[in-house]
Amino acid sequence: MKKKFRRIAIGIDIGGSGIKGAPVDLKTGMFIDDRIRIATPPDASPDAIADIVKEIVDSFDLPDDVPVGISFPAPILRGTVPTIANLSQQWAGVHANELFFKKLKRPVTVLNDADAAGYAEVHYGAAHANPGTILVLTLGTGIGSALVSAGVLVPNTELGHIILPRGIEAEKYASSGVFEREDLSFEEWAQRLQEVFTYLEKLFSPNLFIIGGGISKKYKKYVPMIDTNAPIIPAELRNGAGIVGAALMAYQDDKKAGKKK
Ligand code: BGC
């Protein structure tokens, strides 16, 4: 008898304030169980975070072969965190894939948080089936970026760290963290974002910009003040995008690994 074909993976989103997870139906991109959130421990050390990830994964009580995708707020090069800006420096140089695999004993894929969110938006959200070049920017403590062209993700673009023509790093000038810290008005913030978008548009000429992060809900307050050739639209999956994109990537990686065996 043909084995029943299941398309499920667990997605985990690691952030500075919370670690969230849910099992995802990859046909629809919807959660199949309640999302669980545990606060990120203050020291955010690799061991402490790995323990929480295990607690969340175990709570879903799914078979051992269900893969886990982990969205992480740093670049991920062949499973390793080369540098990290907005979470504990203890992560620098850590082989995150190995760490989580040892803890979870399941197939694991770790990827950058903005890449995970962007991948989800292209598959299930605001850029669904869009064949063009899409640049996703997540506006939070930092600025994350995902570049997707014809459905293919170019990982680890890290565009939040580009130096703007005025000589300052984009995320230190225009993240939503800076907006809050410096108590900027939406007009002032929009002017700063304008510089970021103008520069990125010059470099990549995308067909579409998608903005994510909590503040994308309020896009009507600042996006109309930004002038770009490509439209800027808000992410659709919002809070769930990192979880869904990580789950999808883990599922696809696991399938590829299975074929190689
Ligand atoms: C990190 C990126 C991350 C972004 C959003 C940046 O500081 O370098 O890897 O995607 O913050 O979390």
Side-chain angles (χ1 to χ4, degrees):
M1 203 173 74
K2 211 171 158 194
K3 206 173 151 202
K4 197 167 167 249
F5 188 55
R6 285 190 336 155
R7 295 185 65 195
I8 295 174
I10 298 168
I12 303 281
D13 187 11
I14 297 176
S17 55
I19 301 173
K20 296 160 267 179
V24 181
D25 174 352
L26 298 167
K27 198 163 169 216
T28 58
M30 308 289 276
F31 295 170
I32 52 174
D33 203 339
D34 288 343
R35 188 190 78 149
I36 291 187
R37 179 186 190 279
I38 297 182
T40 306
D43 83 327
S45 70
D47 280 339
I49 288 193
D51 283 341
I52 293 175
V53 169
K54 179 163 166 49
E55 189 181 333
I56 296 176
V57 168
D58 287 351
S59 74
F60 300 123
D61 206 14
L62 286 165
D64 290 352
D65 60 347
V66 174
V68 181
I70 299 176
S71 144
F72 193 80
I76 302 291
L77 299 185
R78 291 174 297 280
T80 297
V81 181
T83 56
I84 181 147
N86 294 316
L87 200 68
S88 164
Q89 286 304 316
Q90 295 175 68
W91 281 94
V94 168
H95 198 300
N97 230 94
E98 219 168 84
L99 171 81
F100 289 116
F101 177 71
K102 277 194 187 141
K103 211 25 121 189
L104 303 173
K105 304 195 174 56
R106 298 169 177 267
V108 171
T109 292
V110 186
L111 73 164
N112 171 258
D113 56 359
D115 283 344
Y119 205 49
E121 289 296 333
V122 169
H123 281 269
Y124 308 104
H128 178 61
N130 187 318
T133 297
I134 295 142
L135 193 50
V136 182
L137 294 184
T138 61
L139 305 171
T141 312
I143 295 182
S145 62
L147 181 64
V148 184
S149 191
V152 179
L153 172 73
V154 180
N156 299 311
T157 42
E158 291 292 307
L159 298 175
H161 299 292
I162 51 163
I163 309 294
L164 297 171
R166 68 164 53 242
I168 183 169
E169 212 175 305
E171 81 170 21
K172 296 207 170 117
Y173 182 62
S175 70
S176 74
V178 171
F179 166 70
E180 279 159 26
R181 251 193 335 269
E182 296 188 17
D183 200 17
L184 300 177
S185 66
F186 278 109
E187 286 78 9
E188 286 165 329
W189 191 40
Q191 280 168 20
R192 292 190 180 198
L193 285 171
Q194 177 74 62
E195 293 178 43
V196 177
F197 280 100
T198 301
Y199 195 47
L200 292 177
E201 194 148 56
K202 199 161 132 189
L203 293 175
F204 298 101
S205 304
N207 305 97
L208 178 67
F209 285 109
I210 297 178
I211 49 166
I215 203 149
S216 64
K217 273 186 227 141
K218 299 190 183 156
Y219 71 99
K220 287 194 180 133
K221 295 196 184 235
Y222 52 97
V223 167
M225 291 185 269
I226 307 170
D227 184 24
T228 45
N229 293 322
I232 305 174
I233 61 171
E236 270 174 20
L237 301 169
R238 304 260 160 87
N239 253 339
I243 295 176
V244 173
L248 177 62
M249 195 60 96
Y251 176 79
Q252 291 177 341
D253 279 355
D254 188 47
K255 226 168 65 174
K256 275 188 235 149
K259 272 192 192 146
K260 272 190 216 144
K261 272 182 206 155

